[in-house]
Structure formats: structure tokens, C-alpha cells
Amino acid sequence: MTTKKRHWLWNVLIVLTLGLCIFAFVEHYKNWCKIEEGNLKVLSGIYYQKIPLMEIDSVVFVDKLPEMERSNGFSWMAKEKGVFKDSITQSKVYVFVDDLRQQKIKVVHHDSLKLYLNLQDSIETQGIYTILHAELMERTKQPQ
């Protein structure tokens, strides 16, 4: 019996597709959050937000996300990521939630834009909240 060999291009295409899928999974698997140079930077795959700390209006912990309609993004198990539309105000809401069961940080910036954020580790989430809250309190105490 003779076996028909597959063209090498198909093998390369299969390997590249698998590599791209693994890369996308790793990039979206968790939120990457940094506070540097006066900005809060949040990255999760293709979703990125850079918020100047001076533009943050409020920072609070919430237990549940409000009713929202997904513009784009995804949900998987206890993760929720993407751009949503608030069903009441019809404003854009960015969601970077690694665990829906834990508390989330609600950041309101630029007067009405909202961002919900938490990390897999609740202690890291608490640390980010503490830094953002301290920065906001320090800014509100200074005379303008």
C-alpha cells in the first residue's frame, strides 16, 4: 500500500494555528495590571486601558456587576472580559474580571467612564484598591 504524503505547507499551517490559539489563551488568561508614571494600566489580551490617576473620580469595591449588554468580549467560567454597555445609562463599560465570585474594583474616570477590575488573587486586588484609594484621597485633600 502506498500512503499519500501531505504537503509540508499544511503541517506548517496547523502548527501556526495551534501556536496562535495557545498565545491568545495565555494573553487572555489573566489581567496584567500596573500602576506606573501616574497611570493605571490594565491589559488582558486585546483589551487595554490606560487611565491617568489624576482623572479617577471614584474607586469602590462592589460585589456584583450591574446589568450590562456585551458589545464585544467574552465570558468563560468565572471570567468576564471586554467592552460592555450599561443597560441604564447606555455608556461604555470596560470589564477586566478574573473571578466573578470575588469583589471587584469599580473605577469611575473622566466623569462617567467605568471600569470593573479584579485579579485572580484577592490580595493583589486589595493592594491595587489600596493604592488607587490612597491616591484619590491624597488628591482630594490638596487645595486646588
Side-chain angles (χ1 to χ4, degrees):
M1 289 190 172
T2 62
T3 59
K4 190 173 181 179
K5 283 185 99 178
R6 191 179 341 184
H7 194 273
W8 63 270
L9 182 62
W10 291 114
N11 291 335
V12 170
L13 188 61
I14 290 169
V15 169
L16 286 176
T17 302
L18 288 174
L20 183 65
C21 290
I22 291 170
F23 176 74
F25 175 75
V26 168
E27 283 295 310
H28 287 91
Y29 182 70
K30 68 179 253 183
N31 293 327
W32 309 92
C33 189
K34 257 198 272 194
I35 298 175
E36 65 180 13
E37 300 172 6
N39 294 307
L40 168 64
K41 298 177 184 178
V42 184
L43 171 70
S44 182
I46 62 171
Y47 302 106
Y48 176 73
Q49 284 287 292
K50 180 179 175 181
I51 303 169
L53 296 178
M54 297 301 291
E55 296 294 329
I56 294 177
D57 299 319
S58 70
V59 178
V60 294
F61 265 128
V62 295
D63 291 324
K64 291 178 66 175
L65 293 175
E67 287 290 322
M68 294 184 284
E69 181 180 319
R70 179 177 299 131
S71 296
N72 65 54
F74 67 93
S75 302
W76 180 63
M77 296 177 70
K79 295 182 187 302
E80 191 87 45
K81 300 188 184 194
V83 181
F84 292 74
K85 185 184 278 190
D86 190 337
S87 57
I88 296 172
T89 62
Q90 301 301 313
S91 63
K92 215 182 251 192
V93 178
Y94 294 91
V95 178
F96 297 93
V97 175
D98 275 342
D99 192 349
L100 286 169
R101 298 168 294 219
Q102 295 180 18
Q103 284 187 317
K104 295 126 205 82
I105 302 171
K106 176 184 175 186
V107 178
V108 178
H109 59 98
H110 294 96
D111 293 329
S112 63
L113 295 174
K114 296 176 192 157
L115 174 125
Y116 290 93
L117 164 73
N118 81 356
L119 305 172
Q120 289 177 344
D121 185 2
S122 61
I123 295 173
E124 288 181 40
T125 303
Q126 181 68 42
I128 291 171
Y129 173 79
T130 303
I131 293 169
L132 292 175
H133 193 310
E135 184 74 30
L136 183 64
M137 288 297 111
E138 179 181 313
R139 196 176 79 231
T140 57
K141 286 181 184 177
Q142 294 177 355
Q144 305 214 355

